[in-house]
Amino acid sequence: MGEAAPGGVVFETISQSAERCGHYCWVERRLFELTGQWSTRPGEPGEPDGPEIRVRFSEWSAGHAGLAERWRARLPVRAGVEAAALVVPPTASLADVLERLDRAAAPALQLAGLATVVLPRLQAAYAEHLAHASPINQGPIRAVLAAATRSTARESERGRALLPGGLQGGLQDKSQGEGQVETWAEFCRDLEQALGNASCISPAARAS
């Protein structure tokens, strides 16, 4: 992070700002890919709430695609800087957690991990950056941060509302092997532990 000015505004260097935008772009692009894939996966017979969840995944995929493109547009275009090289995972733990979500067989587990673990941390990162970004030299970035904060909060809230309460009693995740039963709450606790105390983008405190 760059130097702090009165009022909490932080003046990031060009390289620091570019690095953050590249991380945001990677996260949103990965969420676009995952939610798009999840929306088209065939469901299991009798799967509870699967079709409705898949419809939501399809809707959210388009939103993440739009944010990924907006972050890509904020990457620097100048000699000596390869913008594509900046689009990398912010942390290895986040990349691993998203892979674990992708391997989860049940849409409800993917929804729970996304809505209660990943999106709240991403929203916290966006909100923290927006609160400290300079309105003078980071106007375009602030505009994307504001939109991303709103859309991430909305998606998390709607995702939580879809979580089927009956899964508290146990949901078989076939990626765990036959006979293994895991509730979505337990699944999310494991994801939280894997991520630790960092936010999705920076070592800022996680959302409460």
Side-chain angles (χ1 to χ4, degrees):
M1 186 67 73
E3 295 183 2
V9 172
V10 174
F11 294 96
E12 293 183 314
T13 66
I14 293 176
S15 61
Q16 287 172 328
S17 180
E19 182 180 8
R20 257 190 151 175
C21 289
H23 289 330
Y24 292 145
C25 184
W26 184 90
V27 174
E28 294 294 351
R29 184 177 294 176
R30 189 69 181 121
L31 291 176
F32 152 65
E33 294 169 349
L34 290 175
T35 51
Q37 292 166 10
W38 298 343
S39 71
T40 59
R41 285 182 181 171
E44 295 289 334
E47 181 181 72
D49 301 297
E52 184 177 4
I53 291 174
R54 287 187 176 85
V55 169
R56 291 297 184 186
F57 285 156
S58 179
E59 294 173 352
W60 295 339
S61 182
H64 290 297
L67 283 174
E69 179 59 25
R70 292 184 71 177
W71 285 124
R72 189 200 62 78
R74 300 274 71 81
L75 295 175
V77 180
R78 65 180 191 275
V81 177
E82 185 180 355
L86 297 170
V87 183
V88 295
T91 64
S93 59
L94 175 61
D96 289 343
V97 161
L98 292 179
E99 288 300 320
R100 289 177 63 179
L101 277 180
D102 194 31
R103 292 195 301 269
L109 289 178
Q110 293 164 334
L111 174 69
L114 187 65
T116 71
V117 179
V118 174
L119 290 177
R121 287 172 181 255
L122 182 57
Q123 181 195 356
Y126 282 146
E128 183 271 338
H129 193 176
L130 179 61
H132 296 94
S134 168
I136 298 172
N137 64 357
Q138 290 188 302
I141 289 177
R142 284 178 59 87
V144 186
L145 285 169
T149 301
R150 290 192 299 270
S151 65
T152 305
R154 183 168 57 248
E155 183 176 331
S156 179
E157 180 181 359
R158 291 177 178 175
R160 288 168 185 260
L162 280 176
L163 287 175
L167 296 183
Q168 293 283 4
L171 171 72
Q172 184 169 342
D173 177 1
K174 293 189 176 179
S175 67
Q176 302 278 324
E178 288 297 330
Q180 294 298 311
V181 175
E182 183 173 34
T183 67
W184 65 257
E186 291 169 340
F187 178 70
C188 290
R189 281 196 295 271
D190 289 342
L191 298 182
E192 291 278 11
Q193 291 177 357
L195 285 173
N197 292 324
S199 75
C200 277
I201 304 299
S202 67
R206 53 163 288 195
S208 59

